[in-house]
Amino acid sequence: MNHPLSLYNTLTRTKEPFTPIESPFVGLYVCGPTVYGDAHLGHARPYITFDVMRRYLQYLGYKVRYVRNITDVGHLQNDADSGEDKIQKLAKAAQLEPMEVVEKYTNSFHQDMTSLNVLPPDIEPRASGHIIEQIEMIREILENGLAYESNGSIYFDVPAYNNQHNYGKLSGRVIEDLLSNTRDNLEGQEEKRSPLDFALWKKASPTHIMRWPSPWSEGFPGWHLECSAMSRKYLGKQFDIHGGGLDLMFPHHECEIAQSQASHNHTDAARFWVHNNLITINGKKMGKSLGNFITLGEFFTGSHEALQQAYSPMTVRFFILQAHYRSTLDFSNEGLQAARKGYLKVINGLRILDQLQYPETAGTVDAKAEEEIKKLTAELFEPLNDDLNTAKSIAALFNLLKKINSMHTGGFKLETISAETFEQMRTQYRSLVLDVLGLKIEQTADAQSLLDVVLGFYKEAKENKDYGKVDVIRAQLKGQGIVIKDMKTGIDWAYEE
């Protein structure tokens, strides 16, 4: 299979032609959420980005195995090796079992992803369900002399690893600079040989709820290790693409590469490391740690002081896709309102294309018109081959949409292009919008309000003794399973029993 798709590889800092290790199979791993709170707009960006990547790879004919994990243990408060487990802290405060917290926010995350039309992954492993695999990977790293035990905890030996490899190859960090910038007073540092070393396994304190037996202590795995073990289990020692947000590049993804090289894998885990840029609010990263986030539920209901109105899931999805995934995207009500208009234009284009009928008696094909529509149609997908540029693909949709609207109003005569070109245009437009960009038609009308309008017409027809119209309205609503009830107190309706 030979497709002209190229992707920006953070590992090489260049755009590279994408060729899978074992075509037509593609292994794609994306870091999933740590489930201790509702998903916010910043979470939506990676999952929408890699949903489109997965959809486009499938559109190109690849057989994709998409693995996206759930982090339900081991992610400590300062994203390193100290502080409480984020999930356990919340569970203690709410007097819940940690797995109750996990279940609540995993369900909430899934609901948000369904609303955004993000397809579920093929495999969604949980860190707590892969303790055996993580212990095995630690054994390998110890065996290769690149980790050590300290008071029942196991730490990765970064300086020893750096003597053989390049710790910093993904992020561009230099180990000497990292050492000079490291604060020496971090909690738990006394167990480490170097402040850069990170935990593969942490011995649980007496108050720590989430713990498992291991050869070294009762404890829990390190956050970085979880993804290394789970990606290897389901995608192999080396796979095609590892995705995630730019904020995970260091230390999380850097440590994943180190763990993979230091284990019996001896690979960088993925050939392509792909990172989406961040969503900002007033120029700062949106995130739970800064407390400046707006949850997806708040967007959908408009229940946040920073929101001027509610924004539907497809508006949010379109807002994210209007920017290239590697560019920053700043939240604004104006941007979301513009995205809503853009989304509705694209969906109206779908409606028009469904209504357009190619004339039965074809006229003479105009070579210039034919070439113009062919060119506009070809431009729909071309930007996606250039590092998944959804922004340019959407611009190409709007260019074609001008012609589609002109066909609808009669300004552009359909018979001036061939039936084949017309069908190709219709198919490609639908494929891009629905299958690849993953937009769907949202029901914007309120059924109750529409029913109230119809009942108003019914009342008016009765008062005017227009019984023909009365019968038509009754019959039409009955066809929808609704019966009109004429009562002394007024007119009401009920579901037909």
Side-chain angles (χ1 to χ4, degrees):
M1 202 179 296
N2 185 24
H3 291 292
L5 173 64
S6 68
L7 294 171
Y8 183 85
N9 190 352
T10 309
L11 200 55
T12 59
R13 297 290 192 277
T14 56
K15 269 190 230 176
E16 298 176 23
F18 175 73
T19 48
I21 297 165
E22 289 183 40
S23 189
F25 302 100
V26 173
L28 169 61
Y29 187 92
V30 174
C31 292
T34 301
V35 281
Y36 70 106
D38 289 315
H40 57 69
L41 188 65
H43 291 127
R45 194 172 197 189
Y47 304 127
I48 289 171
T49 296
F50 293 102
D51 180 57
V52 171
M53 180 179 284
R54 182 242 205 122
R55 287 169 177 270
Y56 189 50
L57 287 166
Q58 288 175 330
Y59 174 83
L60 293 175
Y62 292 113
K63 298 183 190 309
V64 181
R65 177 180 286 176
Y66 180 28
V67 182
R68 188 189 69 208
N69 72 296
I70 293 286
T71 296
D72 59 357
V73 64
H75 194 165
L76 304 184
Q77 275 176 278
N78 72 350
D79 294 350
D81 300 327
S82 62
E84 267 194 286
D85 184 293
K86 294 183 178 189
I87 290 163
Q88 178 172 296
K89 185 185 179 191
L90 196 66
K92 276 184 184 173
Q95 294 186 303
L96 296 169
E97 273 286 331
M99 286 304 157
E100 284 183 272
V101 172
V102 165
E103 210 59 39
K104 176 185 176 180
Y105 290 114
T106 299
N107 290 339
S108 165
F109 172 72
H110 286 154
Q111 285 167 5
D112 286 338
M113 292 304 108
T114 300
S115 297
L116 291 168
N117 206 25
V118 170
L119 298 172
D122 298 305
I123 302 172
E124 190 174 54
R126 292 189 182 194
S128 63
H130 295 76
I131 301 296
I132 292 168
E133 290 82 357
Q134 292 170 72
I135 288 172
E136 176 53 34
M137 203 162 198
I138 295 170
R139 283 184 196 273
E140 292 175 21
I141 297 169
L142 281 165
E143 198 177 300
N144 292 336
L146 294 174
Y148 56 91
E149 183 179 354
S150 179
N151 299 327
S153 293
I154 307 294
Y155 291 98
F156 190 96
D157 192 332
V158 170
Y161 171 81
N162 196 57
N163 288 336
Q164 304 170 27
H165 302 277
N166 176 11
Y167 184 79
K169 68 190 294 185
L170 180 70
S171 60
R173 310 286 174 108
V174 177
I175 199 164
E176 289 77 19
D177 295 343
L178 290 170
L179 279 168
S180 65
N181 292 332
T182 303
R183 289 172 295 162
D184 294 326
N185 59 349
L186 287 176
E187 178 196 338
Q189 291 285 51
E190 63 276 1
E191 288 188 347
K192 301 179 183 182
R193 293 177 185 170
S194 164
L196 296 184
D197 296 348
F198 56 89
L200 300 174
W201 186 266
K202 285 281 281 184
K203 182 182 180 179
S205 66
T207 58
H208 201 94
I209 307 168
M210 303 170 85
R211 55 173 70 214
W212 289 264
S214 80
W216 314 287
S217 63
E218 278 226 337
F220 55 93
W223 174 42
H224 310 309
L225 183 72
E226 297 167 359
C227 287
S228 291
M230 291 186 288
S231 63
R232 177 167 83 169
K233 180 175 175 70
Y234 297 109
L235 298 174
K237 291 180 178 180
Q238 188 181 38
F239 52 94
D240 296 296
I241 303 167
H242 193 311
L246 199 60
D247 53 334
L248 294 179
M249 181 173 64
F250 187 87
H252 189 51
H253 291 164
E254 192 73 70
C255 293
E256 278 190 63
I257 288 176
Q259 289 162 162
S260 183
Q261 284 285 5
S263 72
H264 294 352
N265 292 10
H266 303 304
T267 69
D268 291 329
R271 284 182 57 242
F272 281 79
W273 286 79
V274 180
H275 294 93
N276 63 274
N277 214 319
L278 307 177
I279 287 186
T280 55
I281 181 162
N282 299 322
K284 290 182 179 176
K285 175 201 164 186
M286 182 181 284
K288 285 197 175 76
S289 57
L290 295 172
N292 64 350
F293 62 92
I294 305 171
T295 69
L296 292 170
E298 287 168 336
F299 273 98
F300 303 157
T301 58
S303 57
H304 189 284
E305 60 184 13
L307 301 173
Q308 291 173 3
Q309 63 184 81
Y311 298 103
S312 73
M314 287 303 101
T315 300
V316 171
R317 187 174 178 111
F318 196 84
F319 173 70
I320 286 170
L321 294 178
Q322 272 190 309
H324 185 249
Y325 76 90
R326 284 198 294 115
S327 65
T328 53
L329 178 57
D330 198 51
F331 155 80
S332 72
N333 281 283
E334 295 74 21
L336 280 154
Q337 286 157 9
R340 178 69 180 160
K341 286 180 181 173
Y343 158 73
L344 290 172
K345 278 184 182 176
V346 167
I347 295 303
N348 278 329
L350 278 180
R351 286 182 57 256
I352 291 167
L353 281 174
D354 285 344
Q355 293 169 20
L356 285 175
Q357 295 292 324
Y358 191 78
E360 288 181 17
T361 52
T364 307
V365 171
D366 181 306
K368 189 179 174 186
E370 174 91 348
E371 188 57 37
E372 184 181 26
I373 299 301
K374 278 185 172 177
K375 182 174 181 289
L376 288 170
T377 302
E379 285 170 355
L380 294 179
F381 282 92
E382 281 172 9
L384 294 179
N385 290 326
D386 183 14
D387 194 28
L388 213 68
N389 198 328
T390 55
K392 285 190 175 175
S393 268
I394 287 171
L397 269 177
F398 286 136
N399 289 338
L400 181 58
L401 195 49
K402 288 174 193 166
K403 295 297 175 187
I404 292 168
N405 287 329
S406 184
M407 291 171 188
H408 185 49
T409 55
F412 188 106
K413 302 294 182 191
L414 275 178
E415 55 268 30
T416 60
I417 61 172
S418 65
E420 183 187 10
T421 296
F422 171 72
E423 280 307 322
Q424 189 177 26
M425 174 192 72
R426 179 148 66 182
T427 302
Q428 294 285 78
Y429 188 100
R430 287 183 65 85
S431 291
L432 178 59
V433 172
L434 299 174
D435 301 335
V436 178
L437 295 180
L439 298 167
K440 63 181 180 182
I441 299 167
E442 287 177 324
Q443 298 301 327
T444 53
D446 174 3
Q448 181 60 55
S449 298
L450 290 175
L451 197 51
D452 289 343
V453 171
V454 174
L455 291 177
F457 289 139
Y458 175 82
K459 184 183 178 196
E460 189 181 304
K462 274 198 79 177
E463 287 168 351
N464 294 335
K465 296 185 167 51
D466 187 347
Y467 298 117
K469 189 177 280 185
V470 165
D471 291 342
V472 167
I473 293 172
R474 275 186 166 278
Q476 290 287 337
L477 287 179
K478 198 170 190 299
Q480 298 294 320
I482 290 170
V483 290
I484 296 178
K485 303 173 82 171
D486 291 301
M487 304 178 299
K488 288 177 183 175
T489 53
I491 296 163
D492 198 6
W493 66 274
Y495 294 114
E496 188 175 25
E497 295 172 7

